[in-house]
Amino acid sequence: MAETRKASRFIVPVAVAGVAAATIGLVPALAASGDPDLPEITAQQLIEKIAASDTQTLSGTFKISTDLGLPAFGNLMPGLGGGEGGSSADPSAKLTELVSGTHTLRVAADGPERQRLTLLDGSDEYSLIHNGDDVWAYDSKSDEVFHEKAPEGAGATGKDVPKEKDVPTTPKELADEVLKAAGDTTSITVDGTAKVAGRDAYQLVIKPKQAGSTVASVKIAVDAANGTPLKFTLASVEGGKPVVDAGFTKVDFGRPAASEFTFEVPAGAKVTEGGAEKAAGGEKLPEEFEKGLGDLEKGFGGLGEGMNVIGEGWTAIAKLDTGAPAPKTDEAPKEFQGLLDSLGDKVTGKFGSGTVFKTKLVNALLTDDGKVYVGAVTKDALVDAANAGR
């Protein structure tokens, strides 16, 4: 059982290497000037090295920067996570901060049963500690504590939700997600070496072979000694800042002190129990925002019915027919309307007219007659798919 948990949580599935072997480049890595002079390695060998890694203990500091190309939301959702019936220390709300801006985190891990993550924000700190059956979170700014029993296999977040819905919080987790995409539509090569957090590393580069994807490349710096991903960079075809740039600035693979995973409630702190919060109905969105979401939900009545996938790989597009005209955004509350207007571009074509809601990674076309096209593809690719009427 312990071996199974280790494999599922700390290594990339060995099957990834087999799937990628037929399509990855076999060009050896060559050391550039000033970079570590390491033995030559092929992409296949490097993926196998990642798959064989069983790193279970580490501590260190890493920085994550995320730029999805979204506008600043300001106070659009002021009640989320900290309003009535909720706690500002709840991980499900707090960790969503990682999807935008630049953050510095301290991490520590001692196998699948003990992890600690501390989010630093100036003089304030947010700590999330998983130790056996318990998950504790503490927000120093609000002096609030969140406690919950950890479901089996929940990991550091303590949330009983599918793994794919968790926010990746280390370069390793980010790397695992991208490596799953390896296949006939993907080029994987080794492109030189680098120094990351004082460690010698190989640079694994993943690129779509197809035109039309919003992804330009994914670069993963892999520890030359133990195969642990040290840095993850996802670049968009739009250029500019990477969509995601996450990497260790300091790392130690020794076992952290046991005291890293102990927690005592500070005197006077407010404590919220996760089970009690769920029984009370959980977090509440502001009334005007809930109304906006309700309007959209009515417009998307049959969203899950009739969905099909156009294309494959990096340019796959999901098509859904809601069976109803698109909701009129000009009738939504002004807070919600402002969000939609800031994200959307009006487009026309053989299909008629609609709006493309855009980020640097995922775009969606909502036609006026109620069809939805979504994918990590460019606006033109979405319009082409709609024009083809597929």
Side-chain angles (χ1 to χ4, degrees):
M1 177 64 72
E3 188 67 21
T4 300
R5 289 199 305 267
K6 179 177 71 174
S8 64
R9 291 187 54 80
F10 290 95
I11 67 171
V12 180
V14 176
V16 170
V19 172
T23 57
I24 60 180
L26 301 179
V27 180
L30 301 177
S33 176
D35 290 330
D37 187 8
L38 299 174
E40 294 183 355
I41 191 171
T42 66
Q44 181 175 349
Q45 290 169 336
L46 186 54
I47 289 177
E48 290 173 350
K49 190 177 188 71
I50 298 171
S53 173
D54 66 348
T55 298
Q56 297 195 56
T57 62
L58 64 81
S59 59
T61 304
F62 72 91
K63 181 177 291 187
I64 177 170
S65 296
T66 309
D67 181 12
L68 291 172
L70 294 169
F73 293 113
N75 294 322
L76 180 64
M77 300 171 66
L80 185 58
E84 183 179 353
S87 169
S88 66
D90 187 341
S92 63
K94 192 66 178 180
L95 293 185
T96 59
E97 294 181 11
L98 299 181
V99 303
S100 65
T102 299
H103 305 276
T104 299
L105 302 98
R106 290 198 303 265
V107 296
D110 183 9
E113 299 298 324
R114 286 172 291 280
Q115 302 96 33
R116 182 183 184 116
L117 180 151
T118 300
L119 175 61
L120 307 176
D121 184 9
S123 59
D124 298 317
E125 292 189 3
Y126 174 81
S127 294
L128 179 61
I129 303 102
H130 171 215
N131 192 347
D133 293 333
D134 293 290
V135 173
W136 293 94
Y138 177 62
D139 184 359
S140 68
K141 185 175 183 179
S142 63
D143 198 26
E144 292 192 24
V145 173
F146 180 88
H147 174 250
E148 190 169 41
K149 288 296 181 180
E152 184 177 355
T157 66
K159 290 295 175 183
D160 190 14
V161 296
K163 181 65 179 174
E164 61 268 20
K165 293 185 179 179
D166 289 347
V167 177
T169 55
T170 70
K172 174 103 173 76
E173 291 182 2
L174 291 164
D176 288 351
E177 293 303 309
V178 173
L179 286 170
K180 292 176 185 177
D184 293 340
T185 62
T186 306
S187 166
I188 305 181
T189 59
V190 179
D191 185 19
T193 64
K195 275 280 189 182
V196 178
R199 305 278 301 186
D200 291 348
Y202 292 105
Q203 300 269 33
L204 186 68
V205 178
I206 303 171
K207 292 183 179 181
K209 291 182 177 179
Q210 305 154 295
S213 172
T214 55
V215 177
S217 67
V218 174
K219 182 178 289 187
I220 304 168
V222 181
D223 192 292
N226 59 31
T228 300
L230 300 174
K231 187 173 182 179
F232 174 100
T233 305
L234 170 60
S236 167
V237 294
E238 290 188 9
K241 294 180 180 179
V243 177
V244 180
D245 189 16
F248 283 98
T249 57
K250 181 180 179 182
V251 65
D252 184 335
F253 291 103
R255 186 180 301 278
S259 58
E260 284 286 322
F261 311 106
T262 60
F263 178 78
E264 294 185 6
V265 177
K270 175 186 175 182
V271 179
T272 299
E273 291 291 337
E277 182 180 60
K278 291 176 182 178
E283 298 167 344
K284 298 293 185 183
L285 289 170
E287 182 178 350
E288 65 274 12
F289 200 81
E290 282 200 350
K291 183 180 185 303
L293 290 178
D295 290 343
L296 280 181
E297 185 177 357
K298 291 177 183 178
F300 292 153
L303 190 63
E305 300 177 5
M307 183 179 75
N308 64 343
V309 178
I310 302 167
E312 63 177 351
W314 299 83
T315 56
I317 297 172
K319 177 187 176 182
L320 307 97
D321 191 345
T322 68
K328 296 180 179 180
T329 60
D330 57 359
E331 296 179 359
K334 63 180 181 179
E335 293 86 354
F336 197 74
Q337 182 181 339
L339 171 62
L340 296 178
D341 289 345
S342 66
L343 296 178
D345 284 342
K346 299 295 183 182
V347 294
T348 59
K350 294 179 181 179
F351 67 90
S353 59
T355 304
V356 172
F357 298 101
K358 58 190 183 301
T359 72
K360 291 174 68 173
L361 188 60
V362 177
N363 295 321
L365 167 59
L366 173 58
T367 67
D368 291 344
D369 62 357
K371 295 182 177 63
V372 183
Y373 298 82
V374 183
V377 297
T378 62
K379 178 173 70 174
D380 289 345
L382 292 175
V383 172
D384 289 345
N387 283 338
R390 292 182 291 176

